[in-house]
Amino acid sequence: RETFERPARDLARGGRRTADGASELNGSTSITTTSSSSSSSSSSSLASTSAEDELPPDEFPDSLRPLPPDASAPSTETVCGDARANTERWGDVVKNGNENLRDDAAGCCASCFDAGTCTTWVWHPDSKECWLKREADVNARPAAEGASVRWTSGVVPRREGVRYALVEDASPPPPPPPRCVHAVLTSSGNPYMNWQTRIMYATYKKHARTRGSILKAFTRVLHRGRDDELMFEVPTMRFEPNQGNCDSWCDYPVADRSLAIAQWSKTTDSLRCSHVIMVETDYVFVKSPPPSIMLPRGSALGFQYAYIAPFEPNAKETYEEYMSDHPELTRQKFKLAPTGNAPSVVNVEDLRVIAPLWAEFVNRTEAPERRRKALGWLRDMYAYVLAALVTGITHETSPSPTSELMAQPPADGELGNAFILHYTWGPEIYDEKDAKIWEFDKRAYGGGQYKRGPYELTPIKEPPEWRFGLKLQTFFQPRALSESKLELLRLMVSELNEAIGALGRVPKGFRDLAAAEAAAA
């Protein structure tokens, strides 16, 4: 391992306190009392759970259950009476009007209210199109108004978010959590991420059942404006996103996960284990990890990414700006741990310190545009290690095969000490004549990234048996496919297919595919 030492600081600080930003749960789906993770809603689309399908009592614990909604919170009836005819409003599109036809303006407003992240709506009396939008300033001047404008529009006030039991409100103060690992996955809930989530969670459950496993809890932290099709199948807590359009698709959904993690870390669900491992949807567990991954308070275990530069100039600029805004802090030598939030194993108390500052650094890397472009899709990872630097929490990192966390086939040649595989590379195998004979790319699985959910999970073709002369695509140099690399690919596909075989076409909790598709929309 390489340890990135940080100067000791007051770990109780933790940056600005974030408000509880969880959104009110949408009425399109609901969780049964056994899963305890959603709101009241129409239950006609929900399938009853048979005895053999009942979940273990600790899979959906009470800590996932929202608190009762505030009786004074607005309802559809109270917010949909202020429609303005002959008016069109601005806003980022949350739902395309061509795919959301409503009979009248009241129905369009109700659709906006149910969408969670929608703040403005516009409805056309002829086409029946109902466009749902998110406008930062709902008092802004309309885009167009007057007798020639056929649209009717309105504003839906921001609703109170879902409220969860918080650690700070517990009385008496809760005891220290047991020594174990809580796997926490973040997702925007789009269909592409959800097929991966179903598989990943199935592999987690398989290996968490291993005798003596330290994997004792799992929570999907969903940053989304409404429930999705996995609320019954995967233990979930939902929090309000900053980017409403990410409910369907956006170019950078991970920008919301730091705030969601910060909010989750304040809830009593975070008390289930002493340590948290943050995971991604495109991971598969291949075994249970050893207790050695749980480091003492103030130290964390991360995976070493070669593309995270310890002295990245744009990240350094961000750090300098933050330190200038906080002259009370002692400026330290700038050197970042070459890691990210996932996979990282962090003491839960340390995560409560890192997460709010991580969210702040995410915001700071979004502007100016020059910085955002320079850091690209890595800016969330840089924001995390910047937060670790400022809070003084060290990260011990190792690359494969010495990493105790993860391997990434076929870039990595053996499992080594890892217990997670990451299928991000899209491997292709060619024969002696350079003819492609096998491939698997998550971006093309099930018809591609933009399909309607839930995806049909179909078995992945097994990689060929090893023989001399097999090679990878030209991206990998040298191209020669070693026997150990192929065996790692075969292990990955085996775990994927075992999970696929155990999962139904329709996610748990829905009577039929149409109901699940409505939740996924």
Side-chain angles (χ1 to χ4, degrees):
R1 295 177 183 169
E2 184 174 357
T3 304
F4 285 75
E5 298 295 342
R6 303 288 179 244
R9 293 193 56 240
D10 178 8
L11 295 182
R13 185 182 160 272
R16 294 198 308 257
R17 176 191 169 106
T18 57
D20 182 3
S23 69
E24 180 178 336
L25 288 166
N26 179 267
S28 61
T29 66
S30 71
I31 296 300
T32 62
T33 55
T34 56
S35 63
S36 71
S37 179
S38 187
S39 64
S40 61
S41 65
S42 172
S43 60
S44 60
S45 65
L46 304 180
S48 60
T49 304
S50 62
E52 62 269 21
D53 290 333
E54 287 182 355
L55 298 167
D58 58 347
E59 187 171 12
F60 288 83
D62 286 344
S63 59
L64 301 176
R65 189 188 300 273
L67 297 175
D70 185 345
S72 64
S75 64
T76 305
E77 291 75 18
T78 61
V79 302
C80 288
D82 189 24
R84 293 179 59 180
N86 308 114
T87 304
E88 183 176 4
R89 300 195 65 93
W90 298 106
D92 296 328
V93 174
V94 172
K95 193 170 186 66
N96 190 309
N98 297 317
E99 302 171 357
N100 189 36
L101 304 182
R102 301 290 166 167
D103 291 335
D104 52 31
C108 185
C109 176
S111 176
C112 180
F113 185 84
D114 289 342
T117 55
C118 175
T119 61
T120 61
W121 54 272
V122 293
W123 177 78
H124 200 283
D126 299 329
S127 66
K128 307 299 182 183
E129 295 172 48
C130 172
W131 288 80
L132 308 186
K133 302 181 179 182
R134 184 179 178 93
E135 188 174 20
D137 181 8
V138 295
N139 297 313
R141 184 180 181 133
E145 54 187 337
S148 62
V149 178
R150 293 284 292 156
W151 297 95
T152 295
S153 69
V155 173
V156 171
R158 189 176 183 87
R159 302 175 302 170
E160 178 193 15
V162 173
R163 298 180 302 121
Y164 296 101
L166 301 179
V167 174
E168 64 180 20
D169 295 333
S171 181
R179 186 170 173 79
C180 59
V181 172
H182 189 155
V184 177
L185 173 144
T186 57
S187 173
S188 66
N190 69 61
Y192 173 68
M193 300 182 81
N194 280 1
W195 74 256
Q196 299 170 39
T197 298
R198 297 187 72 195
I199 292 172
M200 193 277 291
Y201 182 53
T203 68
Y204 164 86
K205 289 196 294 182
K206 171 188 172 182
H207 296 287
R209 294 188 184 109
T210 304
R211 182 179 298 274
S213 175
I214 61 173
L215 299 172
K216 298 299 184 184
F218 186 101
T219 301
R220 181 178 66 138
V221 174
L222 181 65
H223 41 87
R224 178 178 167 91
R226 58 190 291 252
D227 291 0
D228 66 4
E229 72 273 26
L230 299 189
M231 302 296 289
F232 300 91
E233 188 166 290
V234 182
T236 298
M237 297 177 79
R238 184 167 63 77
F239 298 89
E240 180 76 8
N242 286 325
Q243 306 176 98
N245 56 326
C246 290
D247 278 14
S248 53
W249 186 260
C250 64
D251 63 351
Y252 200 58
V254 298
D256 286 322
R257 69 179 169 191
S258 56
L259 178 60
I261 287 288
Q263 293 164 346
W264 171 83
S265 73
K266 296 178 181 295
T267 71
T268 56
D269 190 59
S270 69
L271 297 174
R272 293 162 69 190
C273 282
S274 60
H275 288 72
V276 169
I277 179 169
M278 290 177 279
V279 295
E280 302 276 13
T281 60
D282 57 350
Y283 291 177
V284 291
F285 284 78
V286 297
K287 62 181 181 181
S288 182
S292 59
I293 68 171
M294 296 183 288
L295 301 184
R297 179 88 195 271
S299 296
L301 186 62
F303 180 80
Q304 190 170 120
Y305 292 101
Y307 48 75
I308 298 296
F311 304 101
E312 209 290 329
N314 293 279
K316 187 175 190 301
E317 178 184 68
T318 308
Y319 170 77
E320 295 293 341
E321 288 179 359
Y322 177 83
M323 297 304 291
S324 295
D325 291 342
H326 295 274
E328 73 280 7
L329 301 179
T330 302
R331 193 180 301 271
Q332 304 295 336
K333 180 179 179 181
F334 182 84
K335 186 179 182 182
L336 300 175
T339 189
N341 78 290
S344 287
V345 183
V346 188
N347 182 285
V348 69
E349 294 289 342
D350 290 344
L351 184 62
R352 292 193 189 105
V353 176
I354 291 177
L357 196 53
W358 174 21
E360 178 169 345
F361 275 120
V362 166
N363 290 333
R364 286 175 178 262
T365 58
E366 289 296 309
E369 181 72 4
R370 166 189 55 77
R371 180 186 301 165
R372 188 183 71 84
K373 287 184 175 180
L375 295 176
W377 65 273
L378 300 178
R379 57 191 185 272
D380 175 73
M381 299 175 71
Y382 276 111
Y384 176 80
V385 292
L386 281 166
L389 171 65
V390 171
T391 56
I393 296 170
T394 67
H395 280 64
E396 298 183 10
T397 67
S398 298
S400 181
T402 58
S403 171
E404 293 184 73
L405 299 178
M406 186 173 74
Q408 304 183 98
D412 298 325
E414 57 183 286
L415 182 63
N417 299 322
F419 63 95
I420 288 172
L421 293 179
H422 185 201
Y423 55 95
T424 189
W425 286 105
E428 301 170 1
I429 299 178
Y430 293 77
D431 66 13
E432 302 86 340
K433 298 180 180 179
D434 217 23
K436 185 191 298 183
I437 58 175
W438 182 86
E439 64 180 329
F440 170 63
D441 190 340
K442 66 177 183 179
R443 300 156 190 84
Y445 180 81
Q449 301 182 55
Y450 308 104
K451 284 197 64 177
R452 183 180 186 181
Y455 281 40
E456 181 176 6
L457 302 179
T458 56
I460 300 162
K461 180 182 175 182
E462 291 285 343
E465 295 288 343
W466 187 82
R467 63 180 185 268
F468 185 78
L470 294 181
K471 47 193 164 185
L472 296 166
Q473 63 262 49
T474 55
F475 175 85
F476 295 99
Q477 295 294 331
R479 293 182 64 190
L481 179 60
S482 67
E483 187 171 6
S484 63
K485 283 190 175 185
L486 181 55
E487 285 307 307
L488 195 58
L489 286 172
R490 291 178 65 83
L491 173 62
M492 180 185 76
V493 172
S494 174
E495 291 284 351
L496 287 166
N497 281 339
E498 183 177 347
I500 289 169
L503 293 167
R505 174 67 181 94
V506 179
K508 288 181 180 179
F510 295 92
R511 180 173 293 112
D512 52 40
L513 182 60
E517 288 177 338

